[in-house]
């Protein structure tokens, strides 16, 4: 394993905790649906035996190009994890022993000054993880309706003042299109606001746009449903998420096998439906990085790991 290679691309988060709890059969078939810099994949291969297979995917071409793993047990594909079942079919695989997802973006993506994920660099507002996807953040900001923009900032950014944010965006784009990261930031002057609050505001603003550009919530739901179909009984799914919206979806799905509707429509599960719940939680409590990991890799601080086991 080439430690140096993957740490320049991305420093893997909760590595030991996710890998060790995922493996139930050392000669089983596993899927890493978010290859990134390959840190989790290479650690998995190190712990698996000779007959094991590891299928990995990433929707970012650069992650695929950066692959450094040469191992006959390993196969890597450029695809969205919503197509996990299709990729397995292509490999003549029906069921797997484990699925790993480390959601969000890699350090390589966020630190790349031309990808538009970070407010630290002035560049075109792109934010597409898959460079072949049709709509960038720039398109969304300049073309989406008032209601659609409100949905993004209210639901994904959890901004109570989402309406105000949208008004400012509409006012600015009426005069001049919003093209770059700094164009967007300059809409919000935040003159008397502390550095910490400014950073929090822009992180949430950028994150909410990124979620929309990459259709992250729908992809996650689709992936959870597909995973519940491809796991062998006793097989495990480990998911690392980085914000509460995703974590709530994962937690609820592992507990109930369904997705929660809006607050006012909370679903009541009848006792016969309860017997259809596909997963058993492996840990009652969520797993978070310890203080040492956070010191060594501050980007790990918001990571949350949940692991569940497929029931019969
Ligand atoms: C946090 S990084 C993964 C890092 C990886 N575990 C490692 O050790 O280097 C997340 C990766 O998932 C990819 N990704 C996010 N959503 C995806 C999706 N729907 N389908 C496929 N890949 C996705 C991103 O392009 C990114 O490379």
């Amino acid at each position: 394993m080439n430690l140096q290679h993957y740490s320049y691309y991305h420093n893997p988060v909760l590595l030991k905790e996710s890998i060790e709890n995922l493996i139930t059969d050392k000669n089983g078939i596993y899927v890493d649906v978010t290859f990134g810099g390959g840190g989790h994949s290479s650690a998995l291969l190190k712990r698996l035996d000779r007959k094991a297979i590891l299928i990995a995917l990433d929707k970012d071409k650069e992650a695929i190009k950066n692959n450094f793993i040469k191992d006959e047990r390993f196969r890597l594909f450029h695809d969205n994890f919503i197509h996990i079942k299709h990729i397995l079919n292509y490999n003549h695989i029906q069921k797997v022993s484990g699925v790993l997802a480390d959601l969000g973006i890699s350090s390589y993506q966020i630190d790349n000054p031309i990808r538009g994920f970070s407010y630290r660099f002035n560049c075109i507002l792109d934010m597409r993880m898959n460079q072949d996807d049709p709509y960038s953040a720039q398109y969304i900001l300049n073309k989406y309706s008032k209601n659609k923009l409100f949905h993004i900032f209210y639901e994904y950014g959890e901004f109570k003042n989402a309406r105000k944010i949208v008004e400012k965006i509409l006012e600015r784009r009426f005069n001049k299109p919003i093209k770059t990261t700094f164009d967007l930031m300059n809409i919000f002057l935040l003159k008397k606001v502390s550095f910490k609050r400014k950073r929090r505001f822009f992180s949430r603003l950028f994150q909410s746009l990124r979620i929309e550009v990459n259709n992250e919530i729908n992809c996650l739901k689709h992936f959870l449903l597909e995973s519940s179909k491809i796991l062998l009984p006793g097989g495990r799914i480990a998911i690392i998420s980085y914000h509460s919206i995703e974590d709530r979806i994962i937690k609820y799905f592992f507990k109930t096998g369904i997705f929660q509707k809006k607050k006012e429509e909370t679903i009541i599960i009848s006792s016969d439906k309860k017997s259809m719940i596909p997963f058993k939680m492996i840990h009652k409590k969520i797993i978070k990085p310890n203080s040492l990991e956070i010191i060594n890799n501050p980007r790990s601080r918001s990571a949350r790991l949940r692991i569940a086991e497929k029931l019969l």
Side-chain angles (χ1 to χ4, degrees):
M1 173 168 58
N2 184 343
L3 269 169
Q4 255 173 0
H5 185 107
Y6 75 64
S7 59
Y8 104 84
Y9 192 100
H10 182 84
N11 206 343
V13 170
L14 291 166
L15 187 63
K16 191 165 172 280
E17 295 84 342
S18 53
I19 299 299
E20 284 181 358
N21 286 297
L22 183 70
I23 300 174
T24 51
D25 172 5
K26 284 194 162 219
N27 280 305
I29 302 172
Y30 292 83
V31 195
D32 173 0
V33 297
T34 51
F35 179 73
H40 283 94
S41 276
S42 41
L44 253 172
L45 285 166
K46 220 179 152 194
R47 283 169 176 78
L48 293 173
D49 284 346
R50 210 166 45 89
K51 285 188 181 153
I53 293 176
L54 176 61
I55 306 282
L57 31 145
D58 201 294
K59 68 182 196 173
D60 188 336
K61 280 182 196 157
E62 298 208 40
I64 309 298
K65 245 200 285 171
N66 269 292
N67 172 34
F68 59 96
I69 300 177
K70 287 188 176 56
D71 187 311
E72 54 187 22
R73 300 169 297 165
F74 178 70
R75 301 169 203 169
L76 178 62
F77 298 88
H78 175 231
D79 212 328
N80 191 316
F81 57 52
I82 59 171
H83 300 133
I84 182 170
K85 206 156 178 260
H86 172 77
I87 296 280
L88 292 181
N89 283 343
Y90 177 79
N91 283 280
H92 308 288
I93 295 168
Q94 302 296 321
K95 299 274 178 188
V96 302
S97 298
V99 178
L100 172 79
D102 177 15
L103 302 172
I105 47 174
S106 63
S107 290
Y108 181 85
Q109 288 166 321
I110 197 156
D111 293 335
N112 189 329
I114 60 163
R115 299 293 297 268
F117 288 111
S118 171
Y119 55 81
R120 286 180 294 138
F121 313 109
N122 191 18
C123 63
I124 296 295
L125 275 158
D126 187 329
M127 296 195 191
R128 288 169 304 164
M129 289 184 200
N130 183 348
Q131 298 87 338
D132 295 335
D133 279 351
Y135 302 121
S136 64
Q138 193 184 114
Y139 176 90
I140 285 165
L141 282 165
N142 291 295
K143 301 285 181 207
Y144 266 27
S145 68
K146 189 174 173 174
N147 283 348
K148 274 174 100 176
L149 285 174
F150 174 76
H151 173 82
I152 297 173
F153 298 119
Y154 188 74
E155 294 291 336
Y156 305 154
E158 299 184 292
F159 284 108
K160 289 207 174 69
N161 61 343
R163 229 167 269 289
K164 240 184 179 172
I165 293 176
V166 175
E167 290 302 339
K168 284 186 184 248
I169 289 173
L170 294 181
E171 198 182 302
R172 159 66 211 253
R173 82 180 192 192
F174 181 76
N175 295 319
K176 220 169 150 203
I178 305 157
K179 289 188 174 162
T180 68
T181 47
F182 283 14
D183 283 351
L184 176 61
M185 288 168 79
N186 286 335
I187 298 174
F188 308 95
L189 289 172
L190 306 180
K191 265 189 195 146
K192 289 181 189 151
V193 176
S194 68
F195 174 73
K196 211 172 154 191
R197 281 189 58 201
K198 246 187 223 169
R199 206 172 58 176
R200 190 168 146 66
F201 175 84
F202 286 124
S203 301
R204 278 164 63 199
L205 192 76
F206 273 59
Q207 180 182 278
S208 45
L209 277 168
R210 193 201 81 205
I211 293 175
E212 176 67 18
V213 170
N214 297 289
N215 196 14
E216 291 180 33
I217 303 304
N218 284 332
C219 287
L220 173 62
K221 289 182 176 173
H222 199 88
F223 159 70
L224 285 168
L225 284 171
E226 291 297 293
S227 297
S228 65
K229 292 179 201 152
I230 58 157
L231 274 171
L232 285 164
R236 290 185 176 180
I237 175 166
I239 309 191
I240 305 170
S241 64
Y242 295 84
H243 56 78
S244 55
I245 307 162
E246 283 173 344
D247 184 52
R248 277 198 296 271
I249 293 172
I250 297 160
K251 182 179 170 190
Y252 197 82
F253 185 77
F254 282 174
K255 275 194 180 158
T256 64
I258 51 175
F259 303 114
Q260 195 168 23
K261 301 239 171 101
K262 295 247 159 64
K263 270 187 201 129
E264 60 274 19
E265 304 171 296
T266 306
I267 296 166
I268 298 158
I269 310 161
S270 63
S271 52
D272 58 325
K273 278 230 177 96
K274 272 188 186 157
S275 63
M276 285 158 52
I277 295 170
F279 295 109
K280 172 182 98 183
M281 304 285 245
I282 293 301
H283 300 274
K284 285 224 164 66
K285 278 198 168 171
I286 199 165
I287 303 170
K288 299 178 185 175
N290 60 30
S291 45
L292 186 67
E293 175 161 11
I294 296 175
I295 291 169
N296 288 332
N297 179 13
R299 282 181 175 161
S300 69
R301 66 187 174 278
S302 54
R304 304 287 178 261
L305 167 66
R306 290 191 190 271
I307 305 169
E309 189 169 294
K310 176 82 192 289
L311 298 171
L312 290 178

